[in-house]
Amino acid sequence: MNSEQLFEKSRRLVPGGVHSPVRSFKGLHCVPRFINRAEGAMLWDEEGKDYVDFCMSFGPLIHGHQDPDVKRAIVAALDRGWSYGACEKYSLELAEYMVERLPFIEQVRFTNSGTEAVMAAVRLARGITGRPKIIKFNGCYHGHLDAMLIKAGSGLAGTADASSKGVTDQQAGDTLIVELGDLPALEAVFRDHPGQVAALFIEPLPANNGLLVQTTEYLQGLRRLCDQYGALLVFDEVISGFRVHIGGMAGLTGVRPDLVTYGKIIGGGMPVGAVAGPRAHMEFLAPVGPVYQAGTLSGNPVAMAAGLANMKKLTPEAYQRLDEQSAAVVALMNEWGQAHGFEDYHTHRFGSLFWAVPSHRALKDITEIPSNLSERFYALFKALLEKGIYIAPNAWEVGFVSLAHDASVLNELRRRLWS
Ligand code: PMP
């Protein structure tokens, strides 16, 4: 069956034909490509057409598809059985690897997704402080838990009310929304809710409503306000963790979070998330503390082995190479865009993340996003897809460059762009 037939069948059996909304190519006037296999920087669809991949499973695959070391670790783990529901040393090795490299954490609790990690962090922050409310930023996405599906990004970006039905008013009422970049507005929210705010959640590199890079001074301002009002500062580094720097945005900016959530890279493409922080905070979690959190498959040995192998390869040299490759990819995209009808577009970059948007100025909050984004994106997406270049099928999602996007892939990218 080709992608069209598979999608038709899928729509009968699965809501909208997908298990995560962005995959549906909604608004892109074509059926999603069904991927048959992937290797290095390339994807192949069911029709056998190949694509240079800049979606990269939305971020975990920093070494590309089927990295041989990660694959070897997965295969070796499979030979020992793939789920025990008991203590094992593999999650311990991954936790140790993280704690040794992240000076602001002492303990880690693994989950099966970024959403679960954030869900644990919300409950933990409430348990630690005894306060009910959380603050999040308009446009930041923190997974699909009720408390965070209010003015979120990713698959909700660009929708009319940017929030989900099924979230109760009580849930929504405990989540306070602030615009990114506006410290006085944030302070006013703290002042209006004395002693009620458990935590401030932020993607320290907001990357789910395009790429809305904030300044270090702003992140320092958040730290100051959280200290002043007794709230925890939670960095959601599901995307940025181990990608922008070994220490994520916390490591890059030196701003210390009270709790951090991770996902994606720490699982190497397997379903993994984590909440991490100082021991004094983390030991509020069961079985030591009163905040319950659990998971049948948490700390899955295969996922843990994949994550460790993925991260062990992240040497300073690897980050340097990733940065150079990313700069080259973005330069090519911009050069091509200028000469091929996308003069209004610019591809902005932060490390190995990029976002193509019809604005030459880097944007800082969602109110600055041009209103013609969707319609322009459709043209860009279609042009690239036809040339065998796959970017995430949603105007608000960022692109990911991997270490597999090497010189030969770059040549191939150039050839395809100008073909
Ligand atoms: N937080 C952030 C910053 C994310 O980007 C995402 C997913 N892209 C999540 C949380 C949720 O992670 P998951 O999709 O693994 O549940």
Side-chain angles (χ1 to χ4, degrees), residues 169-217:
D169 292 346
Q170 286 91 327
Q171 280 274 4
D174 277 338
T175 300
L176 308 168
I177 306 294
V178 181
E179 294 298 330
L180 278 166
D182 189 346
L183 284 176
L186 175 62
E187 176 147 31
V189 170
F190 271 122
R191 246 189 283 111
D192 289 346
H193 299 85
Q196 289 186 60
V197 179
L200 171 70
F201 282 74
I202 187 167
E203 290 179 74
L205 178 64
N208 277 288
N209 239 296
L211 198 52
L212 305 173
V213 182
Q214 305 297 304
T215 63
T216 298
E217 293 68 36

Side-chain angles (χ1 to χ4, degrees), residues 6-19:
L6 286 165
F7 192 53
E8 197 183 311
K9 182 172 180 184
S10 196
R11 271 195 304 203
R12 280 202 306 277
L13 300 172
V14 175
V18 292
H19 299 284

Side-chain angles (χ1 to χ4, degrees), residues 54-56 211 243 352-356 391-392 397-401:
F54 288 109
C55 177
M56 282 287 142
L211 198 52
R243 176 165 285 278
S352 53
L353 298 174
F354 66 80
W355 185 40
I391 57 173
E397 302 283 346
V398 292
F400 295 90
V401 180

Side-chain angles (χ1 to χ4, degrees), residues 285-355:
L285 285 175
V288 195
V291 177
Y292 196 70
Q293 190 280 331
T296 300
L297 297 177
S298 292
N300 174 269
V302 180
M304 297 289 106
L308 187 62
N310 206 38
M311 296 216 282
K312 272 191 173 163
K313 297 185 70 164
L314 291 174
T315 58
E317 184 276 331
Y319 281 113
Q320 176 65 32
R321 198 152 48 83
L322 185 60
D323 196 60
E324 288 163 12
Q325 291 177 191
S326 305
V329 163
V330 167
L332 267 187
M333 300 277 262
N334 279 325
E335 189 188 335
W336 172 78
Q338 288 309 301
H340 293 84
F342 292 97
E343 297 81 3
D344 54 333
Y345 251 88
H346 190 79
T347 300
H348 300 270
R349 176 175 83 93
F350 191 94
S352 53
L353 298 174
F354 66 80
W355 185 40

